[in-house]
Amino acid sequence: MKILIIGPSWVGDMVMSQSLYITLKQQYPEALIDVLAPAWCKPILERMPQVHQAIEMPLGHGDFNFLGRRALGKELKHQDYTHAFVLPNSAKSALIPWFAGIPVRTGWKGEMRYGLLTDLRSNKKDFQYMIERYVALAHPKAEMINSSSLPGLEHLPKPKLYIDSLCQQHTIEKFELNQDRIVIGLCPGAEFGPAKQWPVEHYAAVAEKMIQDGKQVWLFGSPKDQSITEAIKQTISAENQHYIFDLSGKTSLIEAVDLLGACETVISNDSGLMHVAAAVGCQVIGVYGSTSPQYTPPLADKVAIVHTDIECRPCFKRECPLKHLKCLKDLAPEQVLNAYRSL
């Protein structure tokens, strides 16, 4: 078998898709798995032993570009793929394997994909968790009646990104970090929107307490998160500033992967970095506001989930429709600290 995966466009989804690749390699050990994905996901794929080749998607996210997709499909036709798995739900994502003439094209029912997929699955909602939906695609349609057709979530293969110890040490030195104290990682950003972001003052209170207890804190995020991480650092008392390090916007994604791998515990909003932290072996405390762990929980061996139980959550909105963000503001730092003690 030679398999082409049309991969997701988001870091967290890409991490979770590894469960599918692990399952395929368990079933077909000699199979070659190539993954077509955006450039920013390519470093993640290179840390997945199951992936033979990461192919950079030349078209932008959301760019339909029919002619570009046809040209890419024709180019990939020479690779003689036998199977394709289309993970996004859009019609445009199914065009490339169709143009490539791949005989077996598997994916969930999405927008106008009839004819583009030869193995169309229509019962996606019978599988609660995203990794169940990914893993189910590796099994014959007739066997996948609902989630009871799979082992429980705890028995499904979990994403596990490879950490290169030499690269990790080089990255630690590059950013003038050390591991003299236990490292607590904080990931206070969320690409999805403010309804996922626990308040700065709450993160700062947790960081202060961790430092007082003899630990150090590393702040992670994209360039968009720099104002948040800077605010957290500036809130920390002067005597503890020496033990908090703001890495937001300074690292590449793969550097962040290696540095997260050096953390004992990561406290994170529901974000891509939360799933990276789980996949590199950290203890993970997932902070949930408008979203729910009933779909994309962190898949670490040691996990704690914290959230409030107010009536309006989860609403799955990017911004609070009631303008109060109580699902996050009412989630006290002590609740997260108690979760840490439980781990």
Side-chain angles (χ1 to χ4, degrees), residues 2-296:
K2 191 172 184 183
I3 300 169
L4 177 68
I5 308 284
I6 309 299
S9 296
W10 301 101
V11 169
D13 294 355
M14 184 61 76
V15 171
M16 287 183 283
S17 73
Q18 190 183 12
S19 296
L20 169 62
Y21 317 151
I22 295 170
T23 304
L24 288 170
K25 289 295 280 187
Q26 288 172 344
Q27 294 176 336
Y28 312 104
E30 302 304 316
L32 292 180
I33 300 175
D34 293 347
V35 183
L36 179 67
W40 61 82
C41 287
K42 194 172 179 182
I44 294 285
L45 292 167
E46 290 169 351
R47 295 299 184 89
M48 297 181 182
Q50 301 79 22
V51 175
H52 169 251
Q53 180 182 201
I55 305 171
E56 187 174 323
M57 175 64 157
L59 308 176
H61 177 58
D63 184 7
F64 183 75
N65 196 337
F66 181 85
L67 294 178
R69 291 175 189 276
R70 184 176 70 175
L72 181 57
K74 298 292 186 184
E75 182 181 333
L76 291 173
K77 191 168 189 175
H78 301 296
Q79 297 297 321
D80 296 322
Y81 292 109
T82 60
H83 294 72
F85 292 86
V86 182
L87 302 190
N89 293 319
S90 63
K92 63 179 180 289
S93 62
L95 284 171
I96 292 171
W98 182 66
F99 281 125
I102 301 172
V104 181
R105 305 184 297 275
T106 299
W108 292 108
K109 181 180 176 182
E111 54 177 41
M112 300 300 292
R113 285 144 71 100
Y114 297 101
L116 295 177
L117 299 177
T118 63
D119 178 18
L120 185 68
R121 312 291 179 92
S122 59
N123 62 329
K124 178 168 67 174
K125 292 186 178 179
D126 291 334
F127 300 87
Q128 176 178 333
Y129 297 103
M130 180 176 280
I131 71 158
E132 289 182 328
R133 296 176 181 183
Y134 285 151
V135 170
L137 293 176
H139 297 278
K141 182 195 298 190
E143 296 178 7
M144 293 292 103
I145 301 170
N146 52 44
S147 59
S148 65
S149 308
L150 294 170
L153 181 66
E154 66 276 12
H155 298 299
L156 290 176
K158 295 177 181 176
K160 187 174 179 60
L161 299 178
Y162 169 71
I163 294 292
D164 185 315
S165 58
L166 288 177
C167 287
Q168 183 184 63
Q169 189 56 43
H170 173 75
T171 305
I172 289 171
E173 293 171 359
K174 174 182 175 179
F175 291 99
E176 299 181 346
L177 302 168
N178 63 70
Q179 293 175 280
D180 296 343
R181 288 179 165 215
I182 288 173
V183 183
I184 305 297
L186 301 186
C187 303
E191 188 72 22
F192 182 76
K196 275 189 175 185
Q197 295 175 354
W198 202 39
V200 163
E201 59 271 22
H202 290 354
Y203 268 111
V206 169
E208 190 87 59
K209 177 60 176 170
M210 291 293 185
I211 294 169
Q212 289 171 357
D213 289 347
K215 300 171 179 65
Q216 61 176 313
V217 172
W218 296 354
L219 300 170
F220 294 90
S222 71
K224 295 178 183 178
D225 302 320
Q226 284 180 302
S227 61
I228 298 171
T229 55
E230 178 63 21
I232 292 171
K233 183 172 182 180
Q234 293 306 316
T235 306
I236 301 299
S237 60
E239 64 269 23
N240 287 331
Q241 285 281 327
H242 186 63
Y243 298 106
I244 185 165
F245 302 89
D246 186 0
L247 302 166
S248 181
K250 299 180 176 70
T251 67
S252 67
L253 178 57
I254 207 61
E255 287 171 337
V257 169
D258 283 332
L259 292 176
L260 284 165
C263 297
E264 176 219 44
T265 302
V266 170
I267 301 165
S268 177
N269 299 330
D270 178 15
S271 68
L273 288 180
M274 178 185 74
H275 295 290
V276 171
V280 295
C282 300
Q283 298 182 150
V284 175
I285 299 173
V287 181
Y288 282 79
S290 67
T291 57
S292 167
Q294 297 306 309
Y295 177 48
T296 55

